[in-house]
Amino acid sequence: MTKLNKLKWVVAIAAAFFVGTTFTYKVSAATVNNDYALSSNQGSSLRTSNNVIIAHATAVYAPAKNVAIYENREWYNTGAYVQYIVGDGGKIYRVGAEGYQAWGAGSWANANAPVQIELAQTYDNAEFRKDYVAYVNLLRSSAIKYGIPTDVDSSAWRGVKSHFWITNHVWGNHTDPYGYLASHGITKAQFAHDVKYGFSSSGNNVNPTPTPTPKPSEPANKKAVHVTYALHQKGKQWLSPVKDFSSGSNGFAGVPNSKHDMLYIKVNRGSIKYRVRTKEDGWLPWVHKANKNDTVNGVAGIKGHTIDGVQMYYTTPHGETYQQAYYRSQTTQRTGYLGTCADNGTVAGYDNWAGMLGEPLDRLQIHINDNSKY
């Protein structure tokens, strides 16, 4: 998704109904609605280099039309918009102009992507199927139009790229569209295949995925992984470390209704990297060690600066059953835990970081497993 406060966007989109005169045009055999396109004096005037097409998901369950209305109205205030929104049963809404920079995934991505496309989210499987076909075909046809390879998330710096790829190779903290696609049964491999080959007008694969030869099943080698972590209370001291999580008062790091400024995390096997976002500094560098006495390399955060976001990635030892970090947080400004996050972004509807921009994080829970225990 683009650089927006998700809660603010959900509220704004839900209220953003608009009635206007419809006029459309044809692009790559798909009808594109131009009602909410920015005018010639709106949006960036900078041309792009034609190296990547970026695939997003909105991260909110709202009609694509509402997202388009919101981006059209708030593009300047939020500093966020893309060229196309796909949803509402396979409809395509244009906002930004192709070939000109959109504001969707950071400066490098914006400068190199003539087209960025958001996929609106729905719980309806039939609607998703129509949306997905239109989304895939628009990504593919856009790449072909600008002479860009149709390979998805390859190691090359040209091709169709997910926002997740941009995060891992350039900048950012988003993992779309994979979490949402997974919620409807679409794997990364399937998505890459579909973009490479496209769909016919009937919605069938142009080149169906061949049935792979079944591999002999390997015995599971799942090991227990324990994570130990602690927060430093702003203006006070380090709190007692917590191991994994529980439902009791000792089952989380932090002090309710308090601010915290530093964090350390360590695991008993494998490895974990982590970072925090502070209200004063934004996202800080990744930390790979855990030593509360080393405030430069052993902890995440800056003494006296308020943490409002946490992100982490767990790496499973080679040969063991794949596991990942599941984590969630609360803030001083609302009751109850926010949505659960997974370090590879597979929890539908959430990015892979815990917190809410601008709201001090007051407690944190983490566990490492092959499925969420919350």
Side-chain angles (χ1 to χ4, degrees), residues 18 20-25 27 32-44 64-75 81-85 92-98:
F18 174 85
T21 302
T22 300
F23 55 101
T24 59
Y25 61 97
V27 171
V32 177
N33 185 302
N34 202 38
D35 286 356
Y36 315 110
L38 298 178
S39 63
S40 59
N41 64 344
Q42 294 177 310
S44 174
K65 177 181 176 181
N66 288 17
V67 178
I69 292 170
Y70 181 73
E71 290 194 5
N72 172 276
R73 188 184 69 224
E74 300 293 334
W75 68 274
Y81 70 94
V82 297
Q83 278 84 6
Y84 295 110
I85 317 294
I92 302 172
Y93 302 89
R94 185 169 76 87
V95 179
E98 284 192 18

Side-chain angles (χ1 to χ4, degrees), residues 165-324:
W165 189 95
I166 299 298
T167 291
N168 286 339
H169 293 83
V170 186
W171 172 89
N173 53 47
H174 294 282
T175 61
D176 48 302
Y178 291 123
Y180 173 59
L181 294 181
S183 73
H184 284 281
I186 301 296
T187 64
K188 292 181 181 180
Q190 184 66 55
F191 178 56
H193 172 274
D194 293 341
V195 171
K196 188 170 186 65
Y197 295 105
F199 291 93
S200 67
S201 58
S202 65
N204 294 320
N205 288 80
V206 173
N207 185 357
T209 307
T211 302
T213 301
K215 295 181 179 180
S217 60
E218 297 180 0
N221 187 25
K222 183 180 177 181
K223 304 293 185 181
V225 181
H226 299 292
V227 56
T228 302
Y229 52 106
L231 281 164
H232 184 275
Q233 193 172 8
K234 185 175 178 180
K236 296 186 178 181
Q237 70 283 317
W238 280 102
L239 302 169
S240 298
V242 176
K243 183 178 179 180
D244 302 325
F245 80 101
S246 71
S247 59
S249 59
N250 294 322
F252 57 85
V255 175
N257 302 311
S258 296
K259 298 177 182 178
H260 302 86
D261 53 8
M262 292 185 286
L263 167 72
Y264 73 80
I265 307 173
K266 60 183 178 180
V267 291
N268 69 320
R269 63 185 306 108
S271 62
I272 195 165
K273 68 175 183 177
Y274 58 100
R275 64 177 180 171
V276 300
R277 185 191 185 281
T278 70
K279 294 176 65 176
E280 296 83 358
D281 312 289
W283 285 103
L284 298 175
W286 291 102
V287 176
H288 298 265
K289 301 178 181 179
N291 181 355
K292 68 181 182 181
N293 297 316
D294 180 358
T295 57
V296 176
N297 299 308
V299 304
I302 298 174
K303 191 172 184 178
H305 292 201
T306 301
I307 294 173
D308 64 0
V310 175
Q311 185 181 31
M312 65 193 75
Y313 289 97
Y314 173 74
T315 300
T316 305
H318 180 71
E320 294 185 10
T321 300
Y322 175 71
Q323 299 187 77
Q324 61 180 321

